[in-house]
């Protein structure tokens, strides 16, 4: 029982639920629904129609619609009024019917472009495609059949050319019987008849007829005779040739081609260089050669070549076939539902060839682009801020030369309480997808209360182009997540646009793209899940004006005062925004369209130099300090007219009879009329009389018949044009003579009484006599000629002429010539003659004289101008005939280079695109007609050098055997050196990504292709690049080559291992002991202890010997020196049994041109690469923690001995920037500083002569553990000492100068020697000596090949040990830097210099060297030096 009760209760609940759902569904169904789209389109549209005059015509048009439709017609864009028209009416289906077509020469009411417009009241209109109604003209024969002959089996063309629109109505008759066409008898597009492979049955009388066009007309009859074939060979000749033609896809085309000759020519067709094969039904060759293509496609477009060949020759002719494709829709516009204020886009995409143009129509009226209707993405229509009146039908119309199409779509604007249907999807912009009310899709009516109006809507930010709005939530939101829509419109317009917030709860929005100084209305509406709520009150806000620039100048006036000037005036802008600086007046010639401008300071301007009677537009723009302001509106004014400045054109006289002469002319040139032509004044006189008669005509009459003249009398005439301003210049006097008696012109002239031809090679001289009947007027003669047919070319000559030469003919060709007299009635009976042009004569074997005086002028690295003279020209060398010159040129590098040639008609030619630094030979030949000269004598020219355009190639890096810290770089010259290579620069770094100026450089002078780099860090990856240099500069760098040095050294340890640093300044801490730790074994410890003990013993012994040699005077000197230089750190490396090592530092030496070049600042390349850490202050001690970086961050320095054990750690220091003058030319003497190496070094390489590094040298005594400063200094100029800041910018510290007197100058002679490998060796110099100047002869070179180096050098002679005599130095005019005047301003510095010109040697020169005060230590130092040898 309980179970039954439970089931009953469950059933009751289910029924209640179902009832509730049904009620809700019924409630939803009663909600307003969207209005459906109306089916409305054209089922039939009008087509192009050819009507017959007097016959009926029909233009079809019918529509499909569920509602009543009203059809109207437009002709040439204007609606036709057919209410009372008895001849034209609209049929019930909408078609336009003409009962009979009216058409005459001056009245063509029916011909034109028609369009059908269908309208549904209260819904909208649609327009059909346009169609043209043409009316067939009166049949006219442009050419008619003429009597012709054809040999059996050959081809012939019977001419009959009619109006192009009447060709379909043309047919042929033979012997007055209709002629049936076939593959042998073909009707050409012009109306002509082709007879191919002629037979006896083809003989007869032929004529062509035009029928079914209202009136029929037949041509003259012409006899076609069939002649037997003689068997004589004839070259093929074209009787008819194809012409370029344009067709539409799907149509057919006939390309005519007919040739004559014996044997019968075989005709073939080529399409884009491929043999065209026939295909049944589409591609066929008819009538002995004409090509017919049916159902054309786009792929058929191209160039077609007709080739005719027989055993004698082959001829060909080409024609272009262009295929046009009517417009087709790729994407049609779709129907759209929308709400007011939304933005929508109608999409329309079309294709076709040529590219179609697209326009939009709304309800039959063209859509004009505006602020709210925009064309975007070429063809799409965007409508902004919809209003109810925007509803209707929108059509996309596409048109090109091949046709036009249309497609329509309907726009329905729904009320806001009607949801947008979800299908079909509306074509909305991405912005307007948010315009659909959130949650409204599928909801027909609110299920609950909607929000009240948002509160406190304010404009929080107002600019010239945008406004930012903020507001507070509604007082009654009735929901949590509210979204907002902002509706806005320009004040005074009803078209409202909408912008939605981007996310729920956001209460601000920025309205963009507003107009400056314009008032807008804003209102905000909130949306909840139930729908759109109440709108806020309208807020009016005006955007800011763009106040920076002036406003427009008011009251602009323009008045034309004269025919060539216009006066303008205006007022000061109301909003000037500051002082007006100038006004710019813009003016445009309306006939040309190009705008020009002129500046003016005042409020008026008179524009002069204008064209007469021409429309000009003017506008004015004011300028203040912020720039140009707002332009005024354009005003248009026409300059005043004037008398014509030119005479009438093409003035001719035509004698009518014995008493009258017809005058004809054309108006003056447009730019010479200077106003409207009101008439023409004709002046004439009889014979040589001075009295004149005058006649006047109307403005548009361009002819005048002067009658009442005397018989057989000569009259002269001239005519001038008139305007309201007066009469312009007249034409030249032109003479004509009246006839002696009146002649008859009611019929055509008779046949000329005789015709004679005289053939030449390329021409035929035609002569004739007039018709025997002299009583018929002859206005002139018509000459026709052609190969096989006289209708190929036509020439008209004056009636007085009796001979004519037909030019430009083919030799050995059979021409048919016809001559007809004509008058105003028509052409008379022709007379025929034929002639065969003479065969081509053998060209004159006498060659022309070749050009003379050929010269090649080098202009640049890739251009040479070739000039010549021609002795066969007059003295003024003016070319008056059609001769031309051929220039040829060639270079022998590489040997297989081809000869290049170019033609020119002048006496010079600019040859470009040549290779730099390359020798070219040129010669010239002259050609005139078929005569040519031999090649002239050659002229040579070598192009200038330019910087290398490629980098050195095949760069390799290898380690030197038994020297793991030394590598050898090898390379090959650049493939495009563009000149003689004068050197290379090797860049290397441990960081491949470092800046170029942070790489270490190694210069290589000359064309050597290998170089050694020493003292690299073990187990380190280096990257190497090389660039080549010639006299023009540096080429590009090669790609980086990677190389890693070995991990360990196999050599036994020597004093001064890497990382050890010796210093004589106890206060400096430069480096740490860098003894590499190998295996931790007893053997290593024993070796280290032994070497250390040995080193200590050597140092103690050396110190003892030095102490014994030191005199009391030297001690004083050393104390003074120490006191003045105590702040400096001198570092060096001890060497075992090696001569003194003279280190040249780089702080204070820079390159100076020896010849005082006028260029004070040659182009320099700065290379600030630290290479020796000698003068690093304690502040830079952070570098010491990384010995690998420290060892190779060294500046460009002197090359060391191969077996030298000096370490990079001993030479660390910040290197100043290296100055590299890359534009220095080789002949200029330069000074370069070179390091002085130990005398046993035979493997070092020389440095580039253009490199200079500021160096400082100290002499280190082998026997002591500290350094002694070298006291010699090279003299330098004031420019070196005072102005050269570049060379010392990176010097960490400066050394104070010791006190010096005028007597403290000591010459420190030193000899710089060059071995064959380019290393320099110098004898060491003494320290302090009494002041003297040296002019001693140079020492003998210490090296057997001292002078083998191509660079110049000089030696500093040594000082005699026992002599303190003073020498006077002779002046050295070529080395002004060596002349020292005044006191030295640098610390003790030794500079060794070589003067080089990269190709010559010079004897050594003496050097005057200032020194410190006299100290008698020099002889002992020399003894020390000698002891080391």
């Amino acid at each position: 029982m309980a179970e039954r009760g439970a089931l009953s209760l469950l059933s009751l609940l289910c029924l209640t639920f179902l009832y509730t759902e049904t009620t809700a569904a019924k409630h939803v169904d009663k909600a307003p629904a969207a209005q459906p789209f109306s089916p409305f389109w054209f089922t039939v549209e009008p087509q192009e129609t050819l009507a017959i005059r007097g016959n009926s015509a029909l233009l079809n048009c019918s529509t499909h619609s569920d509602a009543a439709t009203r059809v109207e017609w437009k002709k040439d864009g204007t609606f036709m009024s057919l209410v009372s028209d008895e001849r034209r009416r609209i049929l019930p289906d909408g078609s336009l019917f003409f009962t009979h077509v009216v058409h005459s020469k001056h009245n063509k009411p029916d011909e034109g472009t028609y369009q059908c417009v269908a309208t549904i009241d209260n819904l909208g209109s649609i327009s059909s495609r346009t169609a043209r109604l043409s009316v067939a003209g009166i049949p006219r024969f442009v050419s008619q059949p003429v009597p012709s002959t054809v040999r059996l089996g050959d081809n012939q063309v019977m001419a009959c050319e009619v109006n192009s629109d009447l060709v379909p109505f043309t047919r042929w008759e033979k012997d007055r019987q209709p002629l049936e066409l076939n593959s042998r008898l073909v009707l050409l597009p012009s109306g002509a008849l082709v007879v191919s492979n002629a037979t006896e049955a083809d003989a007869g009388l032929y004529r062509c007829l035009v029928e079914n066009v209202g009136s029929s007309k037949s041509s003259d009859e012409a006899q076609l005779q069939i002649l037997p074939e003689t068997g004589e060979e004839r070259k093929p000749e074209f009787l008819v040739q194809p012409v370029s033609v344009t067709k539409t896809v799907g149509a057919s085309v006939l390309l005519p081609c007919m040739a004559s000759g014996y044997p019968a020519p075989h005709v073939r067709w080529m399409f884009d260089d491929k043999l065209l094969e026939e295909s049944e039904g589409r591609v066929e060759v008819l009538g002995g050669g004409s090509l017919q293509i049916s159902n054309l496609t786009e792929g058929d477009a191209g160039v077609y070549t007709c080739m005719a060949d027989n055993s004698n020759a082959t001829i060909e002719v080409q024609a272009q076939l262009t295929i046009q494709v009517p417009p087709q829709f790729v994407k049609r516009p779709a129907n759209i539902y929308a709400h007011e204020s939304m933005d929508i886009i109608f999409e329309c995409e079309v294709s076709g060839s040529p590219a179609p143009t697209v326009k939009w129509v709304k309800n039959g009226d063209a859509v004009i682009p505006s602020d709210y209707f925009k064309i975007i993405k070429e063809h799409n229509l965007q409508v902004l801020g919809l209003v109810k009146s925007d509803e209707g039908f929108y059509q996309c119309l596409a048109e090109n030369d091949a046709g036009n199409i249309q497609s329509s779509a309907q726009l329905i604007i729904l009320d806001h309480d009607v949801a947008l249907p979800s299908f079909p999807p509306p074509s909305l912009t991405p912005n307007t997808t948010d315009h659909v009310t959130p949650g409204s899709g599928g909801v027909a009516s609110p299920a609950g209360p909607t929000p009240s109006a948002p509160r406190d809507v304010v404009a929080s930010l107002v600019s010239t182009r945008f406004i930012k709005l903020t507001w507070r939530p509604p007082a009654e939101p009735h929901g949590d997540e509210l979204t907002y829509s902002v509706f806005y419109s320009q004040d005074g317009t009803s078209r409202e646009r909408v912008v939605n917030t981007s996310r729920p709860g956001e209460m601000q929005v920025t309205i963009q793209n507003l107009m400056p100084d314009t008032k807008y209305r804003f209102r905000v509406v909130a949306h909840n899940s139930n729908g759109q709520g109440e709108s806020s009150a309208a807020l009016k806000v005006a955007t800011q004006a763009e106040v920076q620039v002036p406003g427009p100048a008011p009251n602009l006036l323009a008045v034309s005062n004269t025919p060539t000037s216009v006066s303008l005036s205006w007022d000061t802008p109301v909003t000037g925004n500051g002082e007006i600086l100038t006004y710019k007046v813009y003016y445009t010639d309306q006939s040309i369209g190009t705008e020009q401008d002129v500046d003016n300071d005042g409020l008026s301007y008179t524009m002069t130099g204008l064209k007469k009677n021409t429309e000009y537009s003017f506008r004015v723009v004011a300028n203040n300090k912020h720039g140009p302001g707002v332009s005024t509106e354009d005003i248009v004014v026409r300059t005043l007219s004037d008398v014509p400045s030119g005479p009438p054109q093409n003035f001719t006289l035509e004698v009518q009879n014995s008493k009258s002469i017809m005058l004809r002319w054309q108006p003056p040139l447009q730019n010479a009329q200077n106003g409207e032509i009101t008439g023409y004044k004709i002046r004439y006189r009889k014979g040589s009389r001075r009295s004149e008669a005058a006649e006047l005509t109307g403005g548009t009459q361009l002819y005048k018949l002067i009658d009442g003249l005397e018989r057989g009398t000569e009259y002269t005439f001239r005519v001038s044009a008139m305007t309201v301003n007066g009469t312009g210049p007249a034409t030249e006097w032109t003479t004509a003579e009246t006839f002696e008696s009146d002649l008859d012109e009611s019929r055509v002239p008779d046949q000329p009484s005789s015709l004679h031809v005289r053939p030449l090679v390329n021409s035929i001289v035609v002569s004739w006599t007039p018709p025997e009947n002299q009583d018929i007027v002859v206005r002139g003669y018509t000459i026709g000629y052609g190969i096989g047919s006289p209708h190929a070319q036509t020439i008209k000559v004056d009636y007085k002429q009796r001979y004519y030469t037909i030019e430009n003919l083919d030799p050995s060709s059979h021409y048919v010539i016809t001559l007809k007299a004509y008058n105003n009635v028509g052409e008379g009976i022709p007379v025929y003659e034929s002639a065969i042009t003479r065969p081509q004569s053998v060209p004159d074997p006498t060659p022309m004289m070749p050009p003379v005086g050929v010269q090649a002028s080098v202009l640049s690295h890739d251009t040479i101008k070739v000039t010549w003279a021609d002795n066969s020209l007059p003295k003024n060398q003016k070319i008056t005939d059609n001769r031309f010159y051929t220039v040829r040129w060639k270079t022998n590098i590489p040997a297989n280079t081809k000869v290049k040639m170019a033609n020119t008609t002048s006496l010079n030619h600019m040859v470009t695109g040549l290779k730099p630094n390359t020798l070219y030979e040129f010669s010239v030949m002259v050609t005139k007609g078929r005569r040519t000269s031999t090649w002239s004598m050659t002229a040579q020219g070598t192009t200038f050098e330019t910087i290398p355009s490629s980098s050195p190639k095949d760069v390799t890096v290898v380690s030197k055997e038994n020297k793991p810290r030394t590598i050898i770089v090898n390379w090959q010259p650049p493939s495009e050196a563009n000149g003689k290579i004068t050197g290379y620069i090797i860049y290397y770094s441990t960081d491949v990504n470092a800046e170029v100026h942070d790489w270490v450089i190694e210069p290589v002078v000359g064309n050597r292709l290998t170089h050694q780099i020493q003292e690299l860090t073990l187990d380190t990856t280096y990257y190497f690049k090389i660039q080549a240099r010639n006299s023009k500069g540096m080429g590009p760098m090669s790609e980086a080559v990677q190389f890693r040095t070995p991990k360990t050294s196999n050599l036994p340890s020597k004093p001064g291992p890497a990382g050890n640093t010796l210093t004589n300044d106890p206060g400096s801490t430069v480096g740490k002991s860098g003894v590499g730790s190998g295996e931790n074994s007893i053997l290593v410890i024993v070796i280290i202890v032994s070497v250390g003990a040995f080193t200590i013993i050597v140092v103690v012994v050396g110190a003892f010997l030095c102490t014994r040699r030191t005199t009391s005077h030297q001690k004083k000197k050393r104390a003074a020196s120490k006191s003045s230089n105590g702040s400096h750190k001198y570092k060096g490396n001890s060497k075992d049994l090696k001569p003194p090592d003279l280190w040249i530092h780089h702080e204070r030496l820079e390159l100076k041109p020896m010849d005082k070049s006028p260029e004070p600042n040659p182009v320099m390349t700065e290379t600030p690469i630290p290479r020796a850490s000698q003068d690093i202050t304690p502040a830079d001690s952070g570098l010491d923690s990384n010995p690998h970086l420290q060892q190779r961050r060294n500046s460009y320095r002197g090359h060391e001995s191969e077996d030298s054990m000096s370490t990079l750690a001993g030479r660390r220091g910040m290197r100043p920037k290296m100055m590299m003058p890359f534009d220095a030319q080789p002949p200029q003497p330069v000074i370069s500083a070179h390091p002085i190496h130990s005398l046993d070094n035979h493997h070092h390489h020389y440095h580039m002569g253009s490199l200079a590094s500021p160096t400082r040298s100290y002499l280190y005594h082998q026997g002591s553990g500290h350094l002694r400063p070298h006291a010699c200094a090279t003299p330098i100029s004031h420019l070196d000492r005072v102005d050269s800041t570049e060379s010392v910018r990176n010097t960490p510290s400066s050394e104070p100068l010791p006190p010096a007197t005028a007597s403290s100058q000591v010459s420190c002679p030193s000899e710089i020697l060059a071995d064959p490998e380019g290393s320099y060796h110098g004898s060491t110099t003494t320290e302090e000596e009494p002041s003297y100047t040296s002019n001693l002869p140079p020492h003998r070179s210490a090296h057997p090949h001292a002078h083998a180096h191509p660079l110049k050098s000089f030696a500093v002679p040594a000082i005699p040990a026992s002599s303190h005599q003073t020498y006077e130095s002779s002046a050295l005019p070529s080395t002004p830097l060596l002349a020292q005047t005044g006191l030295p301003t640098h610390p003790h510095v030794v500079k060794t210099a070589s003067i080089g010109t990269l190709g010559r040697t010079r004897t050594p020169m003496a050097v005057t060297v200032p020194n410190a005060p006299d100290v008698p230590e020099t002889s002992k130092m020399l003894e020390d030096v000698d002891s080391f040898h």
Side-chain angles (χ1 to χ4, degrees), residues 79-130:
F79 280 104
M80 301 173 64
S81 178
L82 303 176
V83 177
S84 59
D85 196 327
E86 299 178 353
R87 195 170 53 81
R88 299 174 294 188
R89 68 176 185 272
I90 299 176
L91 300 181
D93 66 344
S95 301
L96 180 62
F97 179 71
F98 298 79
T99 57
H100 63 277
V101 175
V102 176
H103 189 83
S104 65
K105 183 176 182 180
H106 300 290
N107 184 28
K108 303 175 181 179
D110 295 337
E111 196 170 57
T113 301
Y114 290 83
Q115 188 177 31
C116 172
V117 180
T119 304
I120 299 177
D121 291 334
N122 302 321
L123 196 60
S125 303
I126 57 175
S127 301
S128 72
R129 69 181 297 274
T130 59

Side-chain angles (χ1 to χ4, degrees), residues 1059-1097:
N1060 288 347
T1061 302
L1062 298 176
T1063 178
N1064 64 349
D1065 187 354
S1068 67
T1069 305
V1070 179
K1072 298 178 181 181
S1073 178
V1075 178
S1077 61
E1079 296 179 357
N1080 190 10
S1081 62
I1082 298 176
L1083 179 60
V1084 174
I1085 295 175
V1086 170
I1087 293 174
I1088 292 174
V1089 172
S1090 302
V1091 172
F1094 178 75
T1095 302
I1096 293 172
I1097 294 172

Side-chain angles (χ1 to χ4, degrees), residues 151-168:
R151 299 194 180 275
L152 201 62
D154 207 348
N155 306 320
Q156 185 57 280
V157 177
M158 303 294 289
C160 179
E161 190 173 349
V162 298
N163 318 25
S164 58
D165 55 344
L166 299 182
V167 174

Side-chain angles (χ1 to χ4, degrees), residues 20 54 218 522 620 686 791 986 1075 1270:
T20 303
S218 62
F522 299 91
V620 175
K686 183 174 69 172
H791 306 293
I986 301 175
V1075 178
H1270 199 318

Side-chain angles (χ1 to χ4, degrees), residues 4 16 87 145 210 328 342 362 376 598 633 697 787 870 1041 1046 1066 1101 1149 1182 1261 1282 1319 1334 1352 1381 1412:
R4 186 176 302 172
T16 304
R87 195 170 53 81
V210 180
Q328 295 176 336
M342 290 174 59
K362 179 204 170 189
I376 63 173
V598 63
E633 294 293 330
T697 70
I787 298 177
D870 190 345
V1041 175
V1101 172
L1149 177 63
H1261 288 267
V1282 180
S1319 63
S1334 175
K1352 297 178 181 179
T1381 60

